[in-house]
């Protein structure tokens, strides 16, 4: 663990967020198989469609979003749950959405890749690289409206090769708007390793192409992430313009559930295990005396209860009405 | 009793006046795009806005259409009402994902909780030898994907009322202005489009076609820059005793199917004329609507005249061959009533 | 006398076999796209190619669709014949300019001197709850713009012959495979599409519809994954004494208008079924063709069944509402013959 | 003028190319007004449509393309004439194309922004930034086919803010293919100055985002350009991968003919005049004794004759047949 100037309760709160995320993702991984075994079938069960889980990537969400307010904006990618949870999206309505239920954030119209929550100013998209421009636009609105709000665009390292990355960083820098671009480097874009798709080792080095700060945070270390993010977000909030963070992290499940990861070298994934941040951060907190084992047990129980409750809510919620398919194409009909 | 000043305006002036009036009324309305500031828009749609509203509200962008159109998504979700210019519709391909997967769908995908009051305005059309990448209409393609309202004015009066309505909509609206209707001195332009326009703001609702000419022997259903051409063809065949009804659709989404059907019920013979590509577009949809809803009224096969599924060629003689002309329209009308 | 080995193949296998055979025959044929190498294509269309042809000819790309689709333009002009995968058609919006302004138009804009023998293959379709950005068909949109051939196979036999023909074309071909026809174990898939396929290479010419089922009371014109659904609906109404002709268009560009008209001449009643959006698309073009060329044969209004101009919703109950089902098709047929 | 290790005849040949370009562009500027006065009308006269002239930008074309062979590939932008001339595109057929004639490169179907010449492997496009990806693809074909050919993508400084710039440089660097990206920095994209649209002063600094060399050449100096281009092209030809050049140049006409340039500050354009490269290079050659005044006169006369001949050919050529509009949509009908 790197520096730890944070008070213990804040550290424990980071841990708590990570626990909720991990509990949630592990539980979804289980539920996702319901109705899909013995032969995996993507369309079957209570949670159909693609499912991109973020277990292993908790520190990015927790460490960055701890510095955000509820009125700050997040645009997230196809792998969105950890960000949504850290941002405080209502877990019940989010889960109901993932279950395709009427009580979901979008009444079942959006699904796991399309979580929208105007209350916490959260949105995501299934199109790689699509979240960069809207984040710039939101930041522009804040500047124009004289607000000290900030927008954060999260995306994977694969997304940094999309044209929108370049256009958005340039536009944000030209407009000098309060946005932070955060790249999650989990080493892979589906089956394609970063070093075979990206011409530089660190996307953060690309910040110089826009005259903005770029920082790489290695080790999937929530404290280092929180530290780097604090600076970038404060900078944006104080009107000093955009910056770029790239954060090393690790994808503990496959790209999506059902991915056999046959493209990985034998044992390759084991190497990533040392980056598994939840036990590492737990050990750190316990060993440094910042958290008692009891507190840990309690937090984990709380996380389970929260997730249980959300899932029960989702399961018990009614399906949408077939006629709902025809509404909400337009606001002014 | 209120007095209204009415002047003849070019369509370009009508558009920029509409935007200016909405910007005055509502501080959330802003304009951005390439060369919309000092230049006033390559086609004059933002003329006069920069001096009036300043650089905070009239903003030149880099040549980064995905970024600046996508920015309208985030900005509109957070309180602004941007009017964004895509210089030529032909350039949509560099930014289509932001347009059709996000701007158009977020309202639906969010179950109605997110709104994007954005006008994306863009220049369309040929007739001045700008070739295959600067002369297209393409609105049929945007009308095909759900979530975008599609506005295509044919004259200055409609242009102003439709623009004001578009800015006030809480939905994304694509507003297509034809270069040959704008009344730009340097561009061949149809005088027909320069009409009386009240100075006061007014709205024209989306989804209401306009009967531009009354007739009984045949109906021509059309839109945009084809409206004046059809009207000229109508004058020509009137001298031959053929009376033609002309329906200006004004918007493709919503599509005024009732007006389409009414024209067939009235005249029993229908020609559809368009400057977009012929197949899988506007003419197909209108003809299909008639085949579904007005079959029994049709006394002759539907006829369609549009760009014949070729890229717009550069050379004058070639371009004139593919863009429907008054002559070609008149011939089609004659064939229709024969 | 030649002997031909015939096996039942899934459509995914048929596609990858077709590509492999063309790669063997012609060293200029290469494959690139996201996850086409070790992964074998997310939908298996490039399965087995990497081990067989190596990393020089089967190439994983960055997530940079404009760059790698645009690269096919330059590569094909300089001697290669790339088969490029766009993982889902829904992503076209990030690369559309390269596709429609360049790949599609360069041959015309160069007066025929430049050729782009490129196959751009892509996955389409819903039915597995992947929501609004991963479930579309959209081929109608590509058929609207000139210069692209549009291929949409409905079964493994056609898939192989059409792919081989597509690779041999000197024109850009967009090849759309429906995820629900591929025979992937993990994806709901129609067994109907898994048919006998000869091992030897063979071509199916573009522009020839196929009568998938003979009938006399009504005709259903359709394409892609709707073909098996229509065939199932046909079986169902057959029990009620309704005899249905089924036309599988197989390609939209060229469009076999003769087959469309012939179906109307034979049965006098036509339903058009599609998984693409309803308006301004395939169903409109087919209906319009009939309104132009077969009006006198029609004894009932044309009917259309397609995705009703809404984004594809996520929830199962909602998605099932908008994607034409066997039930809905059967109901439409009944209404048509009433 | 910077270094001049080139033999005199090569220098004079560079000058000759620049003279032909300048003569051509000036002549087109004149012809373009034919039939369009007194009130400018874009669609009238023998040469209708938009017209983007490259007078002032000759050094970029001459200095780079002098190192190319006829089988090397060029993709050019909407302002293409100088590149086409330097590449050796047949001036008669090119001019006939610009006049929309049957004898044109594309039989009148393409026009000024759509010049295609497979013989010299030249093409251009009216879409800003569109030439980057095809150049990468051509370079890939060369590598795959074991050829020592090179592709060069030219574009304006405004185009460097398009997503295709980023995607193509990354792809080229990842694929390690023989392509050189050349940005013409004429300070403006239509009315928008570089410093208001581009977050860094030099696009060449963006090369580091792709791990490739990036060089800025200032002063619109053909010798400095030729020197920088020689290295970049040799590097590509020898299999050492892509590089990026940005070249300062100057747009002596407006963005397109008819552009009143009202957006320029008073006197702003006069400052650029010192960058006018043709008289400067002429003076240098004369003063350094590398070219005699007679030779200069001869070259200018030759340039005029060449241009006269091309324009006469274009004027006298027949229009296409209306039916030609329907052919060449597909190669296999
Ligand atoms: C424009 C676009 N191209 C391709 C895809 C398919 N796709 C979905 S996720 C993904 C990989 C993304 O990798 P990365 O950005 O590193 O995020 P990660 O999945 O590793 O979190 C791809 C190629 C897409 N959704 N959108
Ligand atoms: C994608 C796209 N956006 C906008 C335009 C309109 N446009 C044509 S040229 C131009 C300016 C280009 O500037 P730059 O790249 O610097 O080249 P220059 O004209 O200065 O040579 C613009 C905005 C276009 N043709 N394509
Ligand atoms: Mg990744
Ligand atoms: Mg420039």
């Amino acid at each position: 663990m790197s520096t730890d100037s944070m008070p213990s309760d804040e550290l424990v709160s980071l841990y708590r967020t990570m626990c909720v995320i991990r509990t949630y993702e592990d539980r979804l991984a289980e539920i996702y198989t319901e109705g899909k075994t013995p032969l995996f079938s993507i369309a079957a069960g209570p949670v159909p469609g693609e499912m991109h889980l973020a277990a292993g990537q908790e520190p990015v969400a927790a460490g960055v979003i701890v510095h955000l307010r509820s009125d700050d904006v997040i645009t997230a990618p196809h792998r969105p749950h950890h960000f949504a949870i850290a941002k405080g999206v209502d877990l019940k309505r989010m889960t109901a959405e993932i279950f395709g239920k009427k009580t979901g954030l979008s009444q079942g119209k959006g699904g796991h890749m399309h979580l929208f929550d105007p209350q916490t100013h959260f949105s995501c998209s299934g199109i790689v690289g699509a979240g960069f421009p809207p984040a710039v636009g939101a930041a522009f609105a804040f500047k124009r409206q004289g607000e000290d709000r900030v927008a954060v665009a999260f995306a994977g390292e694969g997304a940094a090769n999309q044209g929108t990355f370049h256009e958005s960083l340039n536009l944000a820098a030209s407009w000098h708007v309060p946005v932070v671009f955060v790249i999650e480097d989990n080493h892979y874009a589906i089956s394609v390793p970063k070093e075979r798709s990206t011409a530089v080792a660190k996307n953060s080095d690309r910040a110089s192409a826009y005259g903005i700060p770029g920082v790489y945070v290695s080790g999937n270390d929530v404290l280092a992430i929180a530290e780097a993010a604090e600076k970038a977000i404060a900078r944006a909030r104080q009107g000093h313009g955009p910056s770029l963070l790239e954060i090393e992290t690790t994808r503990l499940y496959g790209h999506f559930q059902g991915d056999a990861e046959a493209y990985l070298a034998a044992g390759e994934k084991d190497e990533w295990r040392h980056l598994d941040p939840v036990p590492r951060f737990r050990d750190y907190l316990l060993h440094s005396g910042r958290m008692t084992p009891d507190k840990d047990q309690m937090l984990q129980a709380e996380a389970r209860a929260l997730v249980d409750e959300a899932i029960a809510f989702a399961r018990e919620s009614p399906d949408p009405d077939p006629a709902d398919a025809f509404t909400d194409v337009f606001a002014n009909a | 009793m209120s007095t209204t000043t009415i002047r003849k305006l070019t369509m370009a002036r009508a558009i920029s006046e509409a935007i200016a009036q909405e910007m005055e009324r509502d501080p959330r309305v802003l304009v951005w795009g390439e060369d919309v500031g000092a230049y006033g828009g390559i086609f004059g749609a933002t003329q006069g806005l920069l001096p009036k509203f300043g650089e905070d509200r009239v903003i030149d962008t880099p040549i980064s259409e995905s970024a600046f159109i996508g920015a309208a998504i985030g900005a509109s979700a957070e309180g602004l009402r941007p009017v964004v210019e895509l210089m030529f519709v032909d350039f949509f391909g560099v930014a289509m994902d932001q347009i059709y997967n996000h701007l158009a769908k977020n309202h639906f995908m969010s179950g109605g909780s997110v709104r994007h009051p954005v006008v994306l305005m863009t220049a369309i059309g040929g007739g001045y030898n700008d070739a295959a990448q600067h002369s297209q209409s393409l609105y049929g393609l945007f009308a095909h994907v759900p979530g975008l309202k599609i506005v295509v004015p044919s004259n200055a009066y409609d242009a102003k009322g439709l623009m004001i309505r578009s800015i006030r909509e809480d939905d994304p609206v694509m507003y297509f202005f034809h270069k040959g209707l704008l009344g730009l001195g340097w561009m061949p332009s149809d005088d027909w489009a320069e009409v009386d326009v009240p100075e006061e703001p007014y709205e024209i609702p989306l989804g209401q076609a306009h009967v531009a000419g009354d007739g009984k022997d045949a109906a021509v259903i059309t839109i945009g820059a084809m409206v004046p051409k059809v009207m000229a063809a109508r004058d020509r065949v009137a001298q031959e005793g053929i009376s033609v009804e002309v329906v200006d659709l004004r918007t493709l989404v919503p599509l005024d199917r009732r007006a389409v059907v009414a024209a067939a019920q009235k005249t029993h013979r229908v020609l559809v004329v368009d400057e977009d590509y012929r197949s899988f577009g506007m003419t197909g949809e209108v003809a299909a609507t008639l085949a579904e809803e007005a079959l029994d009224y049709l006394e002759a096969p539907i006829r369609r005249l549009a760009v014949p599924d070729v890229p717009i060629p550069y050379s004058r003689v070639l371009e004139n061959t593919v863009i429907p002309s008054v002559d070609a329209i008149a011939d089609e009308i004659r064939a229709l009533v024969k």
Side-chain angles (χ1 to χ4, degrees), chain A, chain B:
Chain A
M1 289 295 144
S2 74
T3 70
D4 49 348
S5 50
M6 276 180 148
S8 290
D9 56 340
E10 284 186 27
L11 294 178
V12 171
S13 158
L14 279 181
Y15 173 69
R16 187 183 169 282
T17 303
M18 287 168 60
C19 281
V20 174
I21 296 169
R22 176 63 57 92
T23 307
Y24 192 78
E25 298 294 69
D26 285 347
R27 186 67 65 80
L28 266 192
E30 258 173 63
I31 291 170
Y32 188 70
T33 63
E34 283 178 25
K36 294 195 183 68
T37 43
L39 288 178
F40 176 75
S41 172
I42 188 170
V47 178
E50 283 177 72
M51 178 54 58
H52 312 83
L53 297 178
Q57 307 189 184
E58 295 86 356
V60 185
V64 174
I65 298 171
V66 67
H67 303 296
L68 295 182
R69 304 191 312 230
S70 117
D71 66 346
D72 290 327
V73 156
I74 283 180
T75 64
H78 58 285
R79 193 181 304 288
H81 301 166
H82 52 327
F83 302 122
I85 290 170
K87 191 67 170 55
V89 173
D90 184 283
L91 204 62
K92 287 189 195 165
R93 294 188 61 210
M94 167 175 153
T95 309
E97 186 59 32
I98 294 170
F99 277 67
K101 295 303 181 73
K102 178 85 179 176
T103 53
L105 288 168
S106 306
Q107 300 143 51
K109 287 175 181 169
H112 137 82
M113 287 189 276
H114 310 294
L115 304 171
F116 289 85
D117 182 24
Q119 268 183 303
T120 58
H121 299 268
F122 180 89
S123 67
C124 58
S125 166
I127 304 296
V128 170
F132 300 120
V136 177
F140 173 81
F142 303 155
K143 184 179 175 185
R144 157 93 192 129
Q145 291 162 176
E147 300 166 322
D148 71 341
R149 296 160 66 194
V150 169
V152 179
F154 290 99
E157 92 295 336
N161 293 323
Q162 267 289 350
T164 49
F165 171 87
H166 174 65
E167 294 189 7
S168 301
L169 269 72
N170 182 63
L171 188 64
S174 294
W175 282 0
H176 203 68
V177 293
V179 57
V180 179
F181 303 95
V182 180
I183 303 298
E184 288 189 289
D185 177 12
N186 64 3
H187 311 295
Y188 275 84
I190 309 187
S191 71
V192 182
K194 186 184 192 185
E195 64 271 18
R196 302 198 55 174
S197 65
T198 306
V200 284
K202 296 179 178 177
N203 280 302
S204 48
D205 290 345
R206 292 177 162 175
S208 65
Y210 314 100
I212 63 174
V215 174
Y216 192 89
V217 185
S218 54
N220 207 18
D221 173 351
V222 68
L223 296 183
I225 294 166
E227 200 179 355
E230 182 169 27
K231 284 199 199 105
I233 291 166
R235 185 183 155 85
R237 205 180 297 286
Q238 287 155 19
H240 303 309
S243 38
L244 171 63
L245 300 181
E246 184 169 29
I247 298 175
E248 188 189 19
T249 188
T250 188
R251 195 186 82 189
L252 292 177
Y253 289 108
H255 170 72
F256 35 38
Q257 295 309 96
D259 176 6
E261 299 188 283
Y263 47 84
L264 295 182
E268 182 174 349
K269 200 145 188 184
D270 300 333
E271 285 176 35
W272 303 351
R273 296 280 170 199
H274 81 272
L275 287 175
D276 185 340
V278 179
R280 273 165 63 224
F281 194 41
R282 174 186 307 128
D283 288 351
Y284 165 79
L285 292 174
L286 292 173
H287 294 152
S288 65
R290 303 225 181 224
M291 178 173 71
T292 63
D294 279 0
K295 177 79 181 174
D296 180 31
Q297 290 305 317
M298 202 192 78
L299 287 179
Q300 294 201 42
E302 262 179 37
R304 277 192 304 270
L306 211 65
V307 171
D308 283 346
E309 186 192 29
I311 286 168
F313 175 79
R315 286 198 199 270
E316 287 155 21
S317 288
D319 278 335
D321 194 84
D324 292 346
F326 299 91
T327 58
D328 296 326
V329 180
F330 292 115
N332 302 138
Chain B
M1 225 190 84
S2 77
T3 55
T4 303
T5 312
I6 293 185
R7 311 87 5 109
K8 260 197 171 210
L9 278 193
T10 64
M11 200 164 105
R13 287 279 171 202
I15 293 170
S16 60
E17 178 171 293
I19 299 172
Q21 289 178 344
E22 287 303 292
M23 288 180 80
E24 263 156 25
R25 195 178 74 94
D26 185 344
R28 299 169 301 171
V29 179
L30 282 83
V31 175
W32 65 71
E34 293 155 11
D35 307 285
V36 297
Y39 204 107
I42 295 299
F43 302 106
T46 58
Q47 230 177 324
L49 299 182
L50 177 66
K52 212 171 201 152
F53 300 100
E55 289 183 352
D56 284 353
R57 292 182 72 190
V58 183
I59 305 157
D60 282 334
T61 60
I63 309 175
S64 309
E65 286 85 355
S66 278
F68 73 74
I69 293 174
I73 294 171
S76 59
E78 297 301 331
L80 302 183
R81 303 180 74 87
V83 176
V84 179
E85 183 165 287
L86 173 65
M87 192 186 289
F88 289 68
V89 71
D90 311 70
F91 310 157
F92 84 95
V94 300
M96 186 58 172
D97 179 65
Q98 293 292 323
I99 299 171
Y100 104 101
N101 258 336
H102 298 90
L103 186 61
K105 290 180 187 162
N106 281 356
H107 185 68
F108 183 87
M109 295 193 302
S110 70
S113 71
V114 172
R115 293 185 175 202
H116 295 308
V118 175
V119 178
L120 183 55
M121 66 178 179
T122 189
I124 61 172
Y128 64 104
N129 311 101
D130 221 11
Q133 296 176 337
H134 288 76
S135 305
Q136 300 167 98
S137 291
L138 292 176
Y139 35 65
L141 184 154
F142 296 94
H144 179 56
V145 294
L148 299 166
K149 290 178 173 169
I150 303 295
V151 175
V152 193
S154 70
N155 63 78
Y157 179 84
D158 287 0
K160 179 170 176 180
L162 289 168
M163 176 55 85
I164 289 180
R165 180 62 227 158
S166 296
I167 296 173
R168 294 180 185 175
E169 290 271 315
D170 280 339
D171 294 307
V173 176
M174 288 196 65
Y175 184 102
F176 298 80
F177 50 80
H178 194 291
K179 289 162 252 173
L181 294 175
L182 292 170
L184 303 170
W186 49 277
M187 175 73 70
S189 197
D190 221 303
D191 289 341
W192 189 89
E194 190 172 340
V195 294
D196 284 347
V197 177
E199 201 167 301
E200 265 128 65
Y202 58 94
E203 295 185 14
I204 295 178
L206 310 188
Q208 294 188 3
H210 173 245
V211 176
D214 240 10
K216 61 177 183 31
D217 299 326
V220 183
I221 295 169
T222 188
I223 197 162
M226 285 294 121
V227 177
K229 289 199 180 177
V230 169
M231 292 301 281
R234 175 176 182 268
D235 287 350
R236 203 171 292 178
V237 299
Q239 293 159 12
E240 301 157 28
I242 308 172
S243 154
V244 177
E245 176 111 344
V246 178
V247 178
D248 176 357
L249 290 171
R250 297 204 290 200
T251 68
L252 288 185
V253 179
L255 179 60
D256 191 347
R257 293 185 201 265
R258 201 145 43 157
V260 168
V261 170
Q265 288 173 332
K266 181 173 178 192
T267 66
H268 311 294
R269 288 165 194 269
V270 178
L271 165 67
V272 195
V273 176
D274 193 16
E275 197 180 315
D276 198 355
Y277 300 117
R278 185 182 205 274
S279 293
F280 302 89
M282 182 280 253
T283 62
E285 186 59 24
V286 169
T289 300
L290 293 170
E292 291 177 307
E293 300 182 30
L295 193 74
D296 289 346
Y297 297 97
L298 295 177
E299 286 172 10
I302 303 282
R303 297 185 76 90
R304 297 194 279 165
L305 182 65
V307 174
D309 298 334
V310 304
I312 312 287
Y314 165 66
S315 181
R316 194 174 284 130
V317 53
L318 300 178
E319 189 185 29
N320 288 344
T321 305
V322 305
I323 296 187
S325 62
V326 175
D327 281 349
I329 297 166
D331 283 348
E332 285 290 327
I333 295 171
R334 291 184 195 108
L336 181 67
V337 298
K338 213 169 41 204

